[in-house]
Each structure stands twice: as C-alpha cells, then as structure tokens.
Amino acid sequence: MQEAIILVGGKGTRLRPLTNHTPKPLLGVAGSSFIRHQIAKLMDAGVEHVVFATSYLAGLFEDEFKDFSQNLEISYAVEEVPLGTGGAIRNAARLLRGGSADAPVLVLNGDILSGLDLREVLERHRARDADVTLHLTRVADPRAFGLVPTDGSGRVLSFLEKPKTAEECVTDQINAGCYVFRRSVLDAIPADREVSVEQETFPQLVAEGSRVFGHTTDDYWRDLGTPLAFVHGSADLVTGRATSPLVAQPAEALIHPTATVDPTARVTGGSTVGPRAVIGPRVVVDRSIVAADVTVDEGALIHDSVVDHDSAIGSGTVLRETVVGCHAHIGADNELPPQLRLSCGIRIPAQGVRVSGSAVACPSVH
Ligand code: GTP
C-alpha cells in the first residue's frame, strides 16, 4: 500500500488575513481547496492512505473531508503544539498502516504547487535504494533560498544556508518540498521535540553518509506561501500553465455557476469568481481570486488580488496585489497602494484612499 503524509500544520502567517480563519491548505485555488488538488494528484499516483499532519485549526481538516467518499483512507495526526516539519513527519508516521522498514513514504508540504510526476520520483527512489529522495527545483535567483548541491549521480552533497555572495551560489537547486523517505529513516526522527527536516534531519543524514538523493526537475513549481504566489498559482491552474486532476480544461477564467457577471465585465488571466459573487458592469478582474458572496461594483479594477468571502468592493475602486480579508467593505473610488493587506471586517469609506494625485475636494466647510 502506497502511503503519504501531507504537512498542513503551519500557521500560514505570510497569507494573513486569509489564514486567520482558514488554514493555508484549505484556501480555495482554481475552484477547490488546495489540499483537494494535492489529494487528487496523490490518488492519481496510486496513493491509498494519506496522513494529514495538522496543528493550526486542525478540526477544519476533518470538517473538509467528513463526507469524502473516494477510494482513499485519510488519517489525522494532530499536534497540540506544532512540532516543526521533522517532528510533524515523525508524529504522523505513527498512523501509517505499516509496510516494511524499507517501504517508501511520500511526504508533501501542504503549500507547493508542482508538476512533479510522483510515480517517477518513487521509481527513482527505489532504483537508487535511497534513504531519502528530495525533489529539487531550479530557481533563477538562488539568493533567497537554502541550496542543495548534488554530485553527478544526484547524491546530495550538503544543505547550504542562503548564499550571501555570488561565490556562495554553487548551485541553483533548492528543496522543492516533496520527499520520499525510507520508513525506517522516518521512524528515527526524534519524537519528543520540535525538529526541522530542512535544518536538522537532512543535514544530519548527509553528514552520517546516508543515501540522500536529489531528484531535480524543470517542471512547473511554485510555493504558494505569499499572497502574490498564491493568486498566481491559482491563475496558473485555471489557464493550464499548472495542471491538476481537478481542473478539466484550461480556461481564461473559472466562474462559479451561481455567480453573476455583467456582460460588460472582463474576467481574465485565470481569475476565479466564487459562488454567488456579483461582478458589475465594466469591472475588470484580472489574475485574481474573488471568493464567495463578494460584490464588485461598476468599473472597479482588481488585478493580482484576492478578495475573501462576503466582502464588497465599491464602484471605480482599484486594487493591485491586494489581499482583502473577509467581510470587508471598500467604498467607491478608492485607489489602494499595491501589496496592502486589509483586515477582515475593515471598512474604508468612499474616496478614502488614493495613490495618484487626483484626491477629491475637501468635504469639510472651512
Ligand atoms: P508561514 O507562517 O507563512 O511561513 O507559513 P507556514 O506556517 O505554512 O510555514 P512554511 O511555509 O514554512 O511551512 C511549510 C509546510 O510545512 C506547510 O505545508 C506547513 O503547513 C507545514 N508546517 C510548518 N510547520 C509545521 C508544524 O509545526 N507542524 C505541521 N504539522 N506542519 C507544519
């Protein structure tokens, strides 16, 4: 039986306020929660049992899957206190059904969208008789990442901290957040404290001479941990740049059948419009996520942004790279500076904020 662990216990702080009430893996991308895309991909690869390593808002995962009736067993390993990535894997391993000490166990971060062929990485792991196989991806600018150099056979040489100088950029390969562990290696991770696989387990295994290999691919890869990456990942799934068994065919936009979109509005770039949302005349929604029960009034422009459920965007308002929490009310004719995060329930009056020089006349009597 092929088994997998998905790490879903993080607080997702970089995605607040979206993650205030919803764990990152349960946020909607391309019409389904992200974890459902991952589950579908695991099932396609022949996985029959998955353990969710939960902690933050753990009960919501059980709610999400309480009616799940497909051919996959789901277990929940709940951490009262977050154990870090390594501790979480070790804790989740308690619930694996078994198999031999050599059985390969897939481990996925709960926030990575990738085109990796899971069957292929499992095959490579077996063929190399590896203790651990890590999916590695190449990045254009390695300075923001810990680096994972490998030798000609793919064996991992070391785990390097973020490089500070050009000379320290010895490779463009980084840890892509998907691993295959030999079961006995996984069971040897300490169970009684917080452990990071990246900072502790992997470097230690390499230092001990264990068989740690990289599986480097040039497939699509995106860490959905930041707002812009999150919204772009969703758009990529809709347009077909990234694939998921849950997205039947590429489209310019994914509009829920219960949403209302005025015929003069343009919804483009892989945007999604959620249930019962109302998009008014001449609105532009580009490469964005408009969640359930949101209203967007005439002429508003929404680019590279997420508007969470039950919020309202007034007419003529402009959002760029903005995250709007749930139940927010942004009045008409606001032009918000890019990369703002608006808290859940916030109210901005009409004409309250403008970036460009066209501020409205002072309404007070002097
Ligand atoms: P940020 O707070 O925005 O950094 O997000 P995060 O909490 O998700 O952290 P990060 O992106 O580094 O986590 C990578 C993956 O590991 C995500 O899928 C997390 O859910 C998961 N994760 C991180 N820490 C823990 C933990 O202590 N326990 C469990 N079960 N999962 C974790």
Side-chain angles (χ1 to χ4, degrees), residues 139-150:
V139 288
D141 182 2
R143 284 172 302 180
F145 302 91
L147 304 181
V148 189
T150 49

Side-chain angles (χ1 to χ4, degrees), residues 7-14 24 53 79 82-85 88 109-111:
L7 300 175
V8 291
K11 292 195 173 95
T13 51
R14 289 166 298 157
K24 180 167 46 174
E79 297 150 46
L83 294 172
T85 45
N109 277 3
D111 54 359

Side-chain angles (χ1 to χ4, degrees), residues 37-357:
H37 292 284
Q38 280 191 312
I39 288 289
K41 185 169 169 161
L42 286 171
M43 289 175 71
D44 269 9
V47 171
E48 293 163 283
H49 176 216
V50 63
V51 183
F52 292 154
T54 64
S55 177
Y56 177 63
L57 299 175
L60 298 184
F61 289 90
E62 300 194 34
D63 290 350
E64 169 91 2
F65 288 99
K66 64 178 183 300
D67 299 324
F68 192 75
S69 58
Q70 295 175 46
N71 203 14
L72 175 78
E73 245 185 286
I74 299 177
S75 307
Y76 303 89
V78 184
E79 297 150 46
E80 296 306 326
V81 180
L83 294 172
T85 45
I89 295 170
R90 174 70 179 82
N91 185 53
R94 292 179 299 116
L95 301 183
L96 294 173
R97 295 274 180 262
S100 68
D102 281 337
V105 180
L106 264 170
V107 178
L108 267 59
N109 277 3
D111 54 359
I112 302 293
L113 176 60
S114 94
L116 175 68
D117 181 335
L118 295 175
R119 286 185 193 272
E120 190 183 323
V121 71
L122 281 164
E123 267 165 38
R124 296 282 287 169
H125 177 83
R126 285 196 189 92
R128 286 161 156 171
D129 190 28
D131 291 315
V132 178
T133 301
L134 291 94
H135 178 213
L136 304 179
T137 189
R138 289 186 236 272
V139 288
D141 182 2
R143 284 172 302 180
F145 302 91
L147 304 181
V148 189
T150 49
D151 70 12
S153 71
R155 195 150 180 168
V156 173
L157 297 171
S158 54
F159 289 85
L160 303 173
E161 298 285 324
K162 284 180 194 170
K164 292 190 187 70
T165 61
E167 292 73 45
E168 286 176 2
C169 292
V170 293
T171 176
D172 56 0
Q173 295 178 159
I174 65 160
N175 175 359
C178 171
Y179 324 110
V180 186
F181 276 81
R182 189 194 296 277
R183 175 69 200 266
S184 56
V185 172
L186 200 155
D187 286 339
I189 297 173
D192 53 351
R193 61 182 170 83
E194 195 176 327
V195 179
S196 157
V197 269
E198 300 86 349
Q199 283 161 26
E200 187 176 338
T201 311
F202 293 148
Q204 201 175 319
L205 286 167
V206 168
E208 287 166 357
S210 299
R211 296 180 63 76
V212 180
F213 284 87
H215 177 65
T216 308
T217 71
D218 294 318
D219 299 314
Y220 179 96
W221 184 87
R222 202 188 281 277
D223 174 346
L224 303 188
T226 62
L228 207 54
F230 177 74
V231 74
H232 287 172
S234 178
D236 289 344
L237 279 168
V238 173
T239 57
R241 224 182 127 218
T243 55
S244 161
L246 299 187
V247 180
Q249 55 189 26
E252 185 63 19
L254 191 64
I255 296 170
H256 194 274
T258 60
T260 308
V261 178
D262 187 275
T264 60
R266 282 189 292 131
V267 183
T268 56
S271 296
T272 59
V273 177
R276 301 168 301 280
V278 179
I279 308 292
R282 287 175 292 287
V283 165
V284 174
V285 178
D286 183 48
R287 225 182 172 193
S288 294
I289 299 174
V290 173
D293 300 294
V294 167
T295 58
V296 185
D297 289 343
E298 180 165 1
L301 306 179
I302 300 180
H303 292 275
D304 304 288
S305 298
V306 187
V307 183
D308 209 355
H309 63 89
D310 293 287
S311 290
I313 308 299
S315 61
T317 280
V318 181
L319 306 182
R320 286 184 202 281
E321 298 181 21
T322 304
V323 181
V324 181
C326 64
H327 298 95
H329 188 281
I330 317 302
D333 297 318
N334 281 291
E335 185 195 356
L336 303 178
Q339 297 183 5
L340 275 190
R341 290 158 194 257
L342 303 179
S343 305
C344 303
I346 200 169
R347 299 185 79 79
I348 299 182
Q351 301 175 336
V353 182
R354 283 206 85 77
V355 185
S356 54

